[in-house]
Amino acid sequence: MKLVRSSFLKLFNIPFYPLIIFLLLANPSAGRNTKDCFYVVVDVKYNIQRLLEEEDVDKDKKITINDHYAGDVRGDKKFWLIDTAGNEYEVSGTYYLSNLLQELKLQENDGKNIAPLSFDKIFENPSDRISRLISEVYWNGLTRKITDETIKDLIIDTKIKTISGVNYIYVPRNDTLAFNYYSGIATKRPELKIKVVYLPEVITPDYVRNLEGCHGFLTLALRKGENGEIEGVPYVVPGGRFNEMYGWDSYFIVLGLLVDGKVELAKSIVDNFVYEIKHYGKILNANRTYYLTRSQPPFLTSMALAVYDSLPENSKTKEWLKNVIDAAIMEYYNVWMGEKRLTWTGLSRYYGEGIGQPPEVEPGHFDEVYRKFAKKYNMNLESFKEAYRSGKIVDRELGEFFIHDRSMRESGHDKTYRWNDKCADFVTVDLNSLLYKMEVDIAWAIKNVFNDSFVVSGKLETSRDWLERAKKRKNLINKYLWDREYGLFFDYNFIERKRKMYISATIFYPLWAGLATKEQAKSIVENVLPQLEMPGGIAASNEESRGKVSDERPQRQWDYPFGWAPHQMIAWMGLRNYGFKSEVVRLVYRWLYTITRNAVDYNGTVTEKYDVVKRSHQVFVEYGNIGTKFSYITKEGFGWTNASYQIGVKMLPEDLIDKLNRLIPPEWIWGQ
């Protein structure tokens, strides 16, 4: 029996379920009907082999629109699936064929040779499928938990090499439980070449620089598992090559996990950040030794309160929140209000401490910078690099360049022309909005959860004091960052004492934090939204601010025309705070359409970032685009992009979900 969808339905790329159901009922031997789920039993490997031979024209183990043409070969995008009884079923169209490949591969990965295949999943609506896979597959693929079995994959770092291939695990000086746990694994599994090392009580930039060749994994929290044995507290990684827990990625990931009801996993991420603050002094860029002197944007209280709202209201939950707020206050005083990051303006800056170049970057990344200084010292490139690395040459200007570079990485926006490579000279809109939100969050928790009785290190913290801090910061933000002439917030260069007129998506942070007035919010919507709203969502900057690009001034990934999930979510939440409902719906649809269109055309691909002008995931600027390298089926997507999709589909009305499933471009709904 052959199932053929009508040409009318192919035109709109949607399945005709009534026809399938009728044909199956007419010939019961062709399929099975269990609780209205129609499926056939197939030989998995046989059909995978046939499908790839016939339709994977470019041999990348995916079925994409690129398979229409490859040299002189053409894939006709029509395949006859054969069940174990020899019946044939037509599946046609790139999207449905890629779904078929994914479903077959999932069965093979489960060790099944003969398996049922559901028509519902092959002909699933795009938004339903992407959302379901994020919830059921991608989050699991991104979750890491240290155990005897998993430690091999987690400790290996693809970004840097160590001397003799030793895998270093570094443990805080006062965490004997972790030291003993990892030492036990090292003894039990000598083939992994694990060396467990205590960190010094005081970690300095000199100490971190001298770890060259010996960098390693930093421990996170441990707990007793269900079987009573010690295990790592789970966390979620961004995707791709990453096996570490990253700073600001995790806030957006937590929001996505909460939408999907994965409350305990979201809570465990917060627990690991509390561990980092208490043992490493800050929320780290990520838990590797080369990040010990660098933090990331402070989202802890926002993350914690989101989790708190999803937990049962009892004494255990209250004690948990107390522990988190305690850590957040410690981070606030020691990091963001510390001498390195607090400026004379009363506002804070990003400041990545360290000596020399960040060791995690790809080889050759800074060669253009080094060439300038090699010429200054009349040396060839490699000789200068070695002399600088070894400390034989100490150049103040180059040292300052790397401080600014680390600061930019601490901001999460690596790289951008937003600060002209002088990030540490700026008090920024995003950071100070985050700190305002932290101050308000802490005040709320102290008053509403702890009845204004909260003691940290012997000091009573009151909601009134924290609200005063928030009020002071808001006044300073308006003094230094708000520009009356333009009616916009801009970063302020406190060295040159002037604002940088650079239109960035971070301008939505004051709306997200709730510190903007209604008039300021209206001004931002009127003056900035037309400049940043692109066919595929919010761009990281406008084109004019980015400036011209060339071989000497190449594209940077956190500038126009690229769009990132965190910027989209911050903008949605900020605009929603001020009642801009229609703008929010439009922006959500643009972004979700971009993700959906690329997933439909490219075998389910969900990536780190997109070109929102072209609505394309084919972005190869700077570090490439994580989420593109997989065979058959992605099991991860990308953390914050996954989250944006799950949050976004909840924000769209049903009629727009229907349009999204039919892949109707936003310009057909709202115009250009």
Side-chain angles (χ1 to χ4, degrees):
M1 185 185 101
K2 300 177 182 179
L3 296 184
V4 183
R5 290 180 292 116
S6 73
S7 58
F8 172 81
L9 293 163
K10 287 182 184 178
L11 176 65
F12 287 95
N13 206 25
I14 58 176
F16 188 35
Y17 286 105
L19 177 61
I20 294 172
I21 293 170
F22 171 78
L23 291 170
L24 284 170
L25 292 175
N27 184 359
S29 65
R32 299 293 185 269
N33 176 3
T34 302
K35 294 183 179 179
D36 297 326
C37 177
F38 293 88
Y39 65 92
V40 292
V41 179
V42 301
D43 182 316
V44 175
K45 290 185 178 180
Y46 171 67
N47 280 287
I48 288 177
Q49 181 182 357
R50 290 179 53 246
L51 180 57
L52 291 177
E53 286 176 353
E54 293 182 27
E55 298 299 333
D56 180 24
V57 177
D58 60 8
K59 306 304 177 187
D60 66 351
K61 298 179 182 177
K62 289 179 275 195
I63 295 177
T64 73
I65 58 173
N66 293 340
D67 289 315
H68 278 295
Y69 293 96
D72 296 327
V73 182
R74 178 186 174 93
D76 64 3
K77 291 295 168 287
K78 182 185 292 185
F79 177 76
W80 295 95
L81 177 70
I82 301 176
D83 71 9
T84 53
N87 298 302
E88 293 184 323
Y89 309 84
E90 180 187 313
V91 181
S92 47
T94 298
Y95 171 61
Y96 297 123
L97 288 171
S98 69
N99 289 353
L100 174 60
L101 177 61
Q102 292 168 47
E103 292 303 318
L104 287 167
K105 193 62 183 177
L106 283 171
Q107 296 286 10
E108 184 180 64
N109 290 342
D110 285 341
K112 297 174 183 176
N113 206 16
I114 304 297
L117 209 60
S118 166
F119 283 108
D120 286 347
K121 291 183 178 178
I122 296 171
F123 298 111
E124 195 168 16
N125 283 330
S127 73
D128 294 338
R129 181 172 182 82
I130 295 168
S131 184
R132 180 180 62 80
L133 288 175
I134 289 170
S135 181
E136 296 178 2
V137 179
Y138 299 173
W139 290 134
N140 291 337
L142 293 171
T143 300
R144 305 287 186 269
K145 181 168 70 174
I146 296 173
T147 65
D148 289 8
E149 292 74 30
T150 63
I151 194 168
K152 177 182 178 181
D153 294 329
L154 301 190
I155 58 176
I156 293 173
D157 188 355
T158 60
K159 296 183 287 299
I160 63 171
K161 302 294 183 182
T162 59
I163 297 171
S164 303
V166 173
N167 293 306
Y168 290 90
I169 297 178
Y170 288 85
V171 181
R173 175 64 63 179
N174 57 353
D175 193 351
T176 55
L177 174 64
F179 188 87
N180 293 335
Y181 173 73
Y182 289 108
S183 295
I185 295 178
T187 301
K188 189 188 308 182
R189 302 194 62 184
E191 76 278 7
L192 296 181
K193 301 176 71 174
I194 293 173
K195 185 172 183 180
V196 185
V197 182
Y198 268 127
L199 289 167
E201 290 185 11
V202 179
I203 298 168
T204 65
D206 280 321
Y207 170 78
V208 176
R209 188 182 196 186
N210 289 331
L211 289 176
E212 185 172 346
C214 302
H215 280 293
F217 188 86
L218 292 169
T219 61
L220 295 172
L222 298 174
R223 69 181 183 190
K224 282 190 177 181
E226 293 180 0
N227 58 5
E229 295 183 359
I230 299 297
E231 64 180 17
V233 172
Y235 58 95
V236 179
V237 301
R241 64 179 182 169
F242 300 115
N243 277 314
E244 312 86 25
M245 182 180 71
Y246 277 77
W248 74 315
D249 294 68
S250 295
Y251 167 65
F252 302 99
I253 287 169
V254 160
L255 296 184
L257 292 173
L258 292 175
V259 168
D260 283 334
K262 300 180 185 296
V263 179
E264 285 302 313
L265 181 55
K267 177 176 174 288
S268 73
I269 294 173
V270 177
D271 291 338
N272 277 314
F273 282 133
V274 171
Y275 178 93
E276 286 191 347
I277 292 172
K278 293 193 173 180
H279 291 284
Y280 305 120
K282 61 176 71 70
I283 285 180
L284 302 174
N285 190 151
N287 57 305
R288 299 280 183 187
T289 47
Y290 42 78
Y291 294 134
L292 277 166
T293 59
R294 191 192 315 163
S295 187
Q296 281 227 303
F299 279 98
L300 180 59
T301 57
S302 298
M303 193 186 314
L305 292 181
V307 173
Y308 177 78
D309 286 342
S310 299
L311 292 173
E313 193 172 330
N314 54 37
S315 59
K316 186 177 179 181
T317 297
K318 184 176 178 180
E319 183 61 30
W320 175 81
L321 185 62
K322 182 181 186 304
N323 196 38
V324 179
I325 297 300
D326 183 280
I329 290 173
M330 185 187 307
E331 180 193 37
Y332 176 87
Y333 285 138
N334 296 337
V335 179
W336 302 109
M337 299 299 285
E339 63 176 352
K340 294 293 187 181
R341 292 172 177 82
L342 181 63
T343 71
W344 63 261
T345 64
L347 297 174
S348 298
R349 62 173 172 170
Y350 293 113
Y351 190 84
E353 300 174 67
I355 300 172
Q357 77 166 57
E360 79 275 11
V361 299
E362 291 80 357
H365 182 83
F366 291 111
D367 278 1
E368 285 304 311
V369 176
Y370 282 129
R371 282 192 181 94
K372 169 187 171 183
F373 289 91
K375 184 177 181 180
K376 173 182 175 180
Y377 288 91
N378 197 28
M379 300 172 69
N380 65 50
L381 176 64
E382 294 305 319
S383 296
F384 174 79
K385 286 167 64 175
E386 175 57 27
Y388 183 74
R389 184 200 62 79
S390 66
K392 292 180 180 178
I393 289 180
V394 177
D395 188 282
R396 181 178 176 181
E397 182 183 356
L398 184 54
E400 288 180 353
F401 169 83
F402 284 125
I403 287 291
H404 289 298
D405 183 84
R406 278 187 168 83
S407 302
M408 178 171 59
R409 295 173 194 278
E410 181 170 271
S411 79
H413 294 80
D414 50 320
K415 287 186 167 183
T416 171
Y417 287 110
R418 183 171 150 203
W419 303 295
N420 291 337
D421 296 331
K422 296 281 188 178
C423 179
D425 289 351
F426 286 85
V427 290
T428 69
V429 173
D430 47 333
L431 175 56
N432 286 283
S433 297
L434 283 163
L435 292 174
Y436 171 86
K437 175 74 159 48
M438 178 186 283
E439 290 157 348
V440 171
D441 287 345
I442 292 171
W444 180 91
I446 289 174
K447 181 177 181 179
N448 293 284
V449 181
F450 304 107
N451 299 316
D452 258 331
S453 179
F454 197 92
V455 178
V456 179
S457 301
K459 179 187 176 185
L460 178 66
E461 301 284 349
T462 69
S463 59
R464 181 178 178 179
D465 288 342
W466 283 95
L467 286 175
E468 280 297 318
R469 292 185 181 99
K471 181 179 178 181
K472 178 182 177 182
R473 188 177 301 276
K474 180 177 179 178
N475 290 336
L476 291 172
I477 287 172
N478 281 311
K479 178 179 179 180
Y480 291 107
L481 308 184
W482 177 253
D483 191 284
R484 292 178 181 272
E485 180 182 352
Y486 285 88
L488 300 174
F489 291 101
F490 292 112
D491 299 333
Y492 181 78
N493 187 319
F494 64 90
I495 301 298
E496 298 180 357
R497 299 185 180 232
K498 64 181 182 181
R499 299 183 191 97
K500 177 73 181 294
M501 306 306 176
Y502 190 101
I503 302 293
S504 163
T506 55
I507 200 168
F508 292 105
Y509 272 74
L511 279 65
W512 171 82
L515 70 85
T517 65
K518 290 182 180 180
E519 292 73 23
Q520 287 172 329
K522 184 173 182 289
S523 180
I524 289 170
V525 170
E526 291 176 350
N527 295 322
V528 171
L529 201 54
Q531 298 188 59
L532 294 182
E533 183 177 355
M534 301 296 156
I538 292 287
S541 76
N542 68 348
E543 186 173 14
E544 182 181 355
S545 293
R546 181 207 62 187
K548 293 183 179 180
V549 295
S550 63
D551 291 341
E552 292 73 31
R553 193 176 185 272
Q555 281 275 19
R556 288 185 171 177
Q557 63 177 0
W558 285 94
D559 291 326
Y560 176 93
F562 308 117
W564 294 76
H567 286 167
Q568 314 304 314
M569 288 182 273
I570 290 291
W572 302 343
M573 297 172 198
L575 292 168
R576 185 177 60 183
N577 285 345
Y578 289 82
F580 294 100
K581 296 179 181 179
S582 61
E583 289 83 356
V584 170
V585 168
R586 190 177 69 240
L587 292 174
V588 170
Y589 189 90
R590 289 188 186 280
W591 179 250
L592 264 57
Y593 176 84
T594 301
I595 298 172
T596 306
R597 177 81 266 177
N598 282 269
V600 165
D601 289 345
Y602 292 93
N603 209 103
T605 295
V606 176
T607 57
E608 177 188 32
K609 56 183 176 282
Y610 294 87
D611 180 328
V612 290
V613 175
K614 296 180 179 178
R615 292 195 295 233
S616 173
H617 77 280
Q618 295 180 323
V619 174
F620 305 106
V621 63
E622 292 194 300
Y623 307 107
N625 200 1
I626 297 172
T628 61
K629 294 182 180 179
F630 62 89
S631 299
Y632 307 108
I633 177 174
T634 174
K635 291 187 177 180
E636 298 181 345
F638 194 85
W640 56 29
T641 312
N642 298 345
S644 71
Y645 204 88
Q646 300 303 73
I647 291 167
V649 293
K650 299 292 185 184
M651 299 174 77
L652 288 182
E654 285 299 319
D655 66 310
L656 286 180
I657 292 291
D658 177 63
K659 288 179 171 63
L660 183 63
N661 281 322
R662 289 187 285 144
L663 293 175
I664 296 177
E667 57 267 24
W668 283 83
I669 304 172
W670 291 284
Q672 297 294 332

